[in-house]
Short mmCIF file of all heavy atoms in Angstrom, two decimals:
data_model
loop_
_atom_site.label_atom_id
_atom_site.label_comp_id
_atom_site.label_asym_id
_atom_site.label_seq_id
_atom_site.Cartn_x
_atom_site.Cartn_y
_atom_site.Cartn_z
N LEU H 906 0.83 -1.21 0.00
CA LEU H 906 0.00 0.00 0.00
C LEU H 906 0.86 1.26 0.00
O LEU H 906 0.48 2.28 -0.57
CB LEU H 906 -0.92 -0.01 1.23
CG LEU H 906 -2.02 -1.08 1.22
CD1 LEU H 906 -2.79 -1.04 2.52
CD2 LEU H 906 -2.97 -0.86 0.05
N ALA H 907 2.01 1.18 0.65
CA ALA H 907 2.91 2.34 0.64
C ALA H 907 3.41 2.63 -0.76
O ALA H 907 3.51 3.79 -1.19
CB ALA H 907 4.08 2.09 1.60
N ILE H 908 3.74 1.60 -1.52
CA ILE H 908 4.19 1.79 -2.91
C ILE H 908 3.07 2.40 -3.75
O ILE H 908 3.30 3.34 -4.53
CB ILE H 908 4.64 0.44 -3.51
CG1 ILE H 908 5.91 -0.05 -2.78
CG2 ILE H 908 4.91 0.57 -5.00
CD1 ILE H 908 6.33 -1.46 -3.17
N MET H 909 1.85 1.88 -3.56
CA MET H 909 0.71 2.44 -4.31
C MET H 909 0.47 3.89 -3.91
O MET H 909 0.23 4.74 -4.77
CB MET H 909 -0.54 1.60 -4.03
CG MET H 909 -0.50 0.18 -4.59
SD MET H 909 -1.94 -0.77 -4.12
CE MET H 909 -3.25 0.24 -4.83
N GLY H 910 0.55 4.15 -2.60
CA GLY H 910 0.35 5.52 -2.16
C GLY H 910 1.41 6.47 -2.70
O GLY H 910 1.12 7.60 -3.08
N LYS H 911 2.65 6.00 -2.75
CA LYS H 911 3.73 6.85 -3.29
C LYS H 911 3.52 7.13 -4.77
O LYS H 911 3.75 8.26 -5.24
CB LYS H 911 5.06 6.15 -3.07
CG LYS H 911 6.27 6.99 -3.42
CD LYS H 911 7.56 6.29 -3.04
CE LYS H 911 8.77 7.15 -3.35
NZ LYS H 911 10.03 6.47 -2.95
N ALA H 912 3.07 6.11 -5.52
CA ALA H 912 2.78 6.31 -6.94
C ALA H 912 1.67 7.31 -7.14
O ALA H 912 1.72 8.17 -8.04
CB ALA H 912 2.43 4.96 -7.58
N ILE H 913 0.63 7.23 -6.29
CA ILE H 913 -0.48 8.20 -6.41
C ILE H 913 0.00 9.60 -6.09
O ILE H 913 -0.37 10.57 -6.76
CB ILE H 913 -1.63 7.77 -5.47
CG1 ILE H 913 -2.24 6.46 -5.94
CG2 ILE H 913 -2.70 8.85 -5.40
CD1 ILE H 913 -3.27 5.90 -5.00
N ASP H 914 0.83 9.71 -5.05
CA ASP H 914 1.35 11.04 -4.70
C ASP H 914 2.18 11.62 -5.84
O ASP H 914 2.10 12.82 -6.15
CB ASP H 914 2.19 10.94 -3.43
CG ASP H 914 1.34 10.75 -2.19
OD1 ASP H 914 0.15 11.11 -2.24
OD2 ASP H 914 1.87 10.24 -1.17
N LEU H 915 3.04 10.78 -6.48
CA LEU H 915 3.84 11.25 -7.60
C LEU H 915 2.98 11.70 -8.76
O LEU H 915 3.24 12.72 -9.41
CB LEU H 915 4.82 10.15 -8.03
CG LEU H 915 5.95 9.81 -7.04
CD1 LEU H 915 6.75 8.63 -7.54
CD2 LEU H 915 6.85 11.04 -6.85
N ARG H 916 1.92 10.92 -9.02
CA ARG H 916 1.03 11.29 -10.12
C ARG H 916 0.31 12.60 -9.85
O ARG H 916 0.20 13.47 -10.71
CB ARG H 916 0.02 10.18 -10.37
CG ARG H 916 -0.87 10.40 -11.59
CD ARG H 916 -1.80 9.24 -11.81
NE ARG H 916 -2.73 9.12 -10.68
CZ ARG H 916 -3.62 8.12 -10.56
NH1 ARG H 916 -3.67 7.16 -11.48
NH2 ARG H 916 -4.42 8.10 -9.51
N GLU H 917 -0.16 12.75 -8.61
CA GLU H 917 -0.83 14.00 -8.26
C GLU H 917 0.14 15.17 -8.30
O GLU H 917 -0.21 16.27 -8.73
CB GLU H 917 -1.44 13.86 -6.85
CG GLU H 917 -2.57 12.87 -6.76
CD GLU H 917 -3.77 13.28 -7.60
OE1 GLU H 917 -4.01 14.50 -7.73
OE2 GLU H 917 -4.47 12.39 -8.11
N SER H 918 1.37 14.91 -7.87
CA SER H 918 2.37 15.98 -7.92
C SER H 918 2.68 16.38 -9.36
O SER H 918 2.83 17.57 -9.68
CB SER H 918 3.64 15.53 -7.21
OG SER H 918 4.65 16.50 -7.29
N ALA H 919 2.78 15.37 -10.27
CA ALA H 919 3.03 15.66 -11.68
C ALA H 919 1.88 16.45 -12.28
O ALA H 919 2.09 17.37 -13.09
CB ALA H 919 3.23 14.35 -12.43
N LYS H 920 0.66 16.10 -11.92
CA LYS H 920 -0.50 16.84 -12.44
C LYS H 920 -0.46 18.29 -11.97
O LYS H 920 -0.74 19.21 -12.74
CB LYS H 920 -1.79 16.18 -11.97
CG LYS H 920 -2.11 14.88 -12.68
CD LYS H 920 -3.45 14.34 -12.19
CE LYS H 920 -3.81 13.06 -12.93
NZ LYS H 920 -5.12 12.51 -12.47
N ARG H 921 -0.12 18.50 -10.70
CA ARG H 921 -0.07 19.87 -10.19
C ARG H 921 1.02 20.66 -10.90
O ARG H 921 0.83 21.85 -11.25
CB ARG H 921 0.17 19.85 -8.67
CG ARG H 921 -1.03 19.38 -7.86
CD ARG H 921 -0.84 19.71 -6.39
NE ARG H 921 0.28 18.98 -5.84
CZ ARG H 921 0.17 17.79 -5.28
NH1 ARG H 921 -0.99 17.18 -5.20
NH2 ARG H 921 1.24 17.18 -4.78
N THR H 922 2.21 20.01 -11.13
CA THR H 922 3.30 20.70 -11.83
C THR H 922 2.91 21.05 -13.24
O THR H 922 3.18 22.17 -13.73
CB THR H 922 4.55 19.81 -11.83
OG1 THR H 922 4.91 19.48 -10.48
CG2 THR H 922 5.71 20.52 -12.49
N GLU H 923 2.27 20.11 -13.94
CA GLU H 923 1.84 20.37 -15.32
C GLU H 923 0.79 21.47 -15.38
O GLU H 923 0.82 22.32 -16.26
CB GLU H 923 1.28 19.08 -15.90
CG GLU H 923 0.85 19.23 -17.37
CD GLU H 923 0.31 17.91 -17.91
OE1 GLU H 923 0.35 16.91 -17.17
OE2 GLU H 923 -0.14 17.91 -19.05
N SER H 924 -0.09 21.47 -14.40
CA SER H 924 -1.12 22.50 -14.37
C SER H 924 -0.51 23.86 -14.12
O SER H 924 -0.89 24.86 -14.76
CB SER H 924 -2.14 22.17 -13.26
OG SER H 924 -3.10 23.19 -13.15
N GLN H 925 0.48 23.92 -13.21
CA GLN H 925 1.14 25.21 -12.96
C GLN H 925 1.91 25.69 -14.18
O GLN H 925 1.92 26.87 -14.51
CB GLN H 925 2.09 25.06 -11.77
CG GLN H 925 1.36 24.85 -10.44
CD GLN H 925 2.30 24.61 -9.30
OE1 GLN H 925 3.52 24.56 -9.52
NE2 GLN H 925 1.77 24.44 -8.08
N SER H 926 2.60 24.75 -14.90
CA SER H 926 3.36 25.13 -16.10
C SER H 926 2.42 25.66 -17.18
O SER H 926 2.72 26.64 -17.86
CB SER H 926 4.13 23.92 -16.62
OG SER H 926 5.05 23.47 -15.65
N THR H 927 1.31 25.02 -17.36
CA THR H 927 0.34 25.46 -18.36
C THR H 927 -0.19 26.84 -18.03
O THR H 927 -0.31 27.72 -18.89
CB THR H 927 -0.81 24.45 -18.46
OG1 THR H 927 -0.28 23.16 -18.74
CG2 THR H 927 -1.80 24.87 -19.53
N SER H 928 -0.50 27.03 -16.74
CA SER H 928 -1.00 28.34 -16.32
C SER H 928 0.04 29.41 -16.51
O SER H 928 -0.25 30.54 -16.97
CB SER H 928 -1.43 28.28 -14.84
OG SER H 928 -2.44 27.32 -14.66
N PHE H 929 1.31 29.11 -16.24
CA PHE H 929 2.39 30.09 -16.39
C PHE H 929 2.59 30.42 -17.87
O PHE H 929 2.75 31.59 -18.24
CB PHE H 929 3.69 29.54 -15.79
CG PHE H 929 4.85 30.45 -15.96
CD1 PHE H 929 4.99 31.57 -15.14
CD2 PHE H 929 5.82 30.22 -16.94
CE1 PHE H 929 6.08 32.42 -15.30
CE2 PHE H 929 6.88 31.09 -17.11
CZ PHE H 929 7.02 32.19 -16.28
N SER H 930 2.55 29.38 -18.71
CA SER H 930 2.73 29.62 -20.15
C SER H 930 1.60 30.44 -20.70
O SER H 930 1.79 31.36 -21.51
CB SER H 930 2.81 28.27 -20.88
OG SER H 930 3.91 27.51 -20.42
N TYR H 931 0.38 30.15 -20.25
CA TYR H 931 -0.78 30.91 -20.75
C TYR H 931 -0.71 32.35 -20.28
O TYR H 931 -0.93 33.30 -21.05
CB TYR H 931 -2.05 30.24 -20.23
CG TYR H 931 -3.31 30.97 -20.63
CD1 TYR H 931 -3.81 30.84 -21.94
CD2 TYR H 931 -3.98 31.80 -19.74
CE1 TYR H 931 -4.94 31.53 -22.31
CE2 TYR H 931 -5.12 32.47 -20.10
CZ TYR H 931 -5.61 32.32 -21.41
OH TYR H 931 -6.74 32.99 -21.78
N ALA H 932 -0.32 32.55 -19.01
CA ALA H 932 -0.22 33.92 -18.48
C ALA H 932 0.90 34.67 -19.18
O ALA H 932 0.77 35.86 -19.51
CB ALA H 932 0.03 33.88 -16.97
N GLY H 933 2.04 34.02 -19.48
CA GLY H 933 3.15 34.67 -20.15
C GLY H 933 2.77 35.05 -21.59
O GLY H 933 3.15 36.10 -22.09
N GLY H 934 2.04 34.19 -22.27
CA GLY H 934 1.59 34.50 -23.63
C GLY H 934 0.66 35.68 -23.65
O GLY H 934 0.74 36.54 -24.56
#
């Protein structure tokens, strides 16, 4: 369960990073 939880945390973290990058790119444009 710890491995599964870590994978979920990484995926959620990647989604948040991608969302922030998209927002920054859109705001910069």
Side-chain angles (χ1 to χ4, degrees):
L906 291 176
I908 293 173
M909 293 175 60
K911 187 174 182 179
I913 293 174
D914 287 337
L915 291 175
R916 186 178 64 184
E917 293 296 328
S918 177
K920 286 183 178 180
R921 288 194 296 269
T922 302
E923 183 179 356
S924 176
Q925 292 176 358
S926 299
T927 304
S928 300
F929 178 78
S930 299
Y931 178 77

